[in-house]
Amino acid sequence: MINTVGTPWLWGSFAVIIVVMLAIDLFLQGRKGAQTMTFKQAASWSLVWVSLALLFNFGFWYYLNQTAGRAVADTQALAFLTGYLIEKSLAVDNVFVWLMLFSYFAVPSHLQRRVLIYGVLGAIILRTIMIFAGSWLITQFAWLLYLFGAFLLFTGIKMAIAKEDNAAIGDKPLVKWLRSHLRITDNLEGERFFVRRNGILFATPLMLVLILVELSDVIFAVDSIPAIFAVTTDPFIVLTSNLFAIMGLRAMYFLLANVAERFSLLKYGLAAILMFIGIKMLIVDFYHIPIAISLSVVAGILLVTLLINAWVNQRNDIKSRQKP
């Protein structure tokens, strides 16, 4: 039996919010022929998504405070906030991968939005399945938490010491395999994922990009979902914090599209977060790190990383201006 604070009322409220916001995002922001988001629009929508997540968390806290008491409400609301911050942080790395994919395949910005719409929808379905499956497995096999912890610690170390991969995306084994097993047109065909030529169905490069976007989310979900399980194994909190972070990914993409190179040190901060969470899971039987401390550590690592990155960018800007 999976233990959860999620009641039918909470699940229903969350489902309504997600459906309404998806409808707004798809039909107003993602309509056919819409132009790309400007930086200002992306910033505004990012603020909307973050504000909505915080408002939901406040409503969640208020409901638990009335039904289960202050102590339970504080603990579970902190768990949601910590999970949301972890997922939002790790999602930035996912966005950078999308940037590389769109750049390599020369996908114009007005077509990027179409791919991202389907990418986000696919991520919602995929992560919902993974989270419920993960929650059930943990209830059956508690030792999986140690496996997740070791995996996250290994992933964090690998991320910190890995050298930048300069190989072209087209040379990756996966891309070569897809090209060899799919009939793909040489050029984009507008917004279409498939076209027929002489009665034969062809995939377009846009379809190849969509497949790679979905696969990239699978890879990042393998990191981010176990990371939230380190905070709580409650499927309601894991799912809501995860999906609220995902819902804002499209706006985050357009927000970071032109400034990605200025976050060159972010991977070290994310690596430190993964290593911290991995250690937290491995020592849980010896010492339980309170959720408030976990939230402080994750937020502190992000803040320090961004401050150092800003200082490095400032020094580089000064040096570039001083060059004759």
Side-chain angles (χ1 to χ4, degrees):
M1 182 69 178
I2 298 176
N3 294 320
T4 177
V5 297
T7 62
W9 190 89
L10 283 174
W11 281 111
S13 300
F14 171 66
V16 169
I17 292 171
I18 292 297
V19 169
V20 170
M21 293 309 295
L22 265 178
I24 293 173
D25 198 33
L26 295 180
F27 295 113
L28 295 185
Q29 290 299 313
R31 62 190 183 277
K32 184 176 180 180
Q35 298 301 311
T36 183
M37 277 190 190
T38 63
F39 181 85
K40 185 176 180 180
Q41 289 173 329
S44 298
W45 273 101
S46 294
L47 183 61
V48 167
W49 291 121
V50 172
S51 299
L52 186 64
L54 295 178
L55 284 172
F56 175 83
N57 196 29
F58 174 76
F60 176 51
W61 173 87
Y62 182 81
Y63 176 82
L64 290 180
N65 188 46
Q66 298 297 313
T67 59
R70 180 67 178 270
V72 173
D74 288 349
T75 300
Q76 303 300 345
L78 271 178
F80 174 93
L81 187 60
T82 305
Y84 178 76
L85 183 60
I86 290 171
E87 175 59 37
K88 204 70 172 174
S89 304
L90 295 175
V92 176
D93 224 19
N94 203 355
V95 167
F96 290 164
V97 172
W98 293 352
L99 285 167
M100 289 189 292
L101 288 173
F102 288 137
S103 175
Y104 178 81
F105 289 99
V107 179
S109 56
H110 66 282
L111 296 183
Q112 293 173 11
R113 300 185 65 174
R114 179 173 172 81
V115 174
L116 293 177
I117 287 171
Y118 286 101
V120 169
L121 288 174
I124 289 174
I125 296 171
L126 168 73
R127 293 189 182 219
T128 300
I129 295 171
M130 291 179 68
I131 286 168
F132 279 111
S135 294
W136 180 82
L137 285 171
I138 289 172
T139 61
Q140 302 298 313
F141 310 102
W143 53 265
L144 280 175
L145 285 175
Y146 299 106
L147 184 62
F148 287 162
F151 173 74
L152 291 175
L153 180 59
F154 170 77
T155 303
I157 294 172
K158 183 179 177 181
M159 183 183 290
I161 65 177
K163 295 182 180 179
E164 186 174 350
D165 186 359
N166 295 318
I169 292 175
D171 295 331
K172 302 291 185 183
L174 175 60
V175 177
K176 288 183 176 181
W177 186 89
L178 288 171
R179 286 189 182 278
S180 66
H181 287 76
L182 294 174
R183 288 189 293 266
I184 302 175
T185 60
D186 293 329
N187 301 308
L188 293 167
E189 300 287 340
E191 294 187 338
R192 288 181 290 181
F193 292 116
F194 296 96
V195 294
R196 283 194 178 276
R197 291 181 176 174
N198 300 321
I200 300 175
L201 189 65
F202 284 81
T204 69
L206 202 64
M207 186 62 198
L208 180 58
V209 173
L210 177 60
I211 293 172
L212 294 174
V213 164
E214 295 289 6
L215 289 175
S216 74
D217 188 70
V218 172
I219 294 170
F220 282 99
V222 171
D223 288 339
S224 63
I225 291 176
I228 300 181
F229 279 135
V231 178
T232 177
T233 57
D234 188 315
F236 179 80
I237 298 176
V238 176
L239 182 64
T240 52
S241 61
N242 213 285
L243 294 196
F244 268 113
I246 289 174
M247 290 292 289
L249 271 184
R250 207 156 62 89
M252 182 192 290
Y253 170 83
F254 288 105
L255 184 66
L256 298 177
N258 297 317
V259 294
E261 69 281 354
R262 298 186 70 82
F263 290 87
S264 57
L265 299 181
L266 184 62
K267 75 165 189 173
Y268 298 106
L270 299 180
I273 290 173
L274 289 177
M275 286 187 281
F276 166 73
I277 295 171
I279 292 172
K280 171 183 168 71
M281 297 177 85
L282 290 173
I283 66 171
V284 66
D285 280 345
F286 309 102
Y287 178 71
H288 175 70
I289 300 176
I291 295 175
I293 294 179
S294 297
L295 176 60
S296 300
V297 171
V298 172
I301 290 172
L302 281 175
L303 180 60
V304 170
T305 303
L306 292 175
L307 288 174
I308 294 174
N309 215 147
W311 177 73
V312 171
N313 288 336
Q314 185 179 38
R315 285 178 59 87
N316 291 337
D317 291 342
I318 293 173
K319 289 180 179 178
S320 63
R321 287 196 296 267
Q322 290 176 345
K323 289 182 179 179

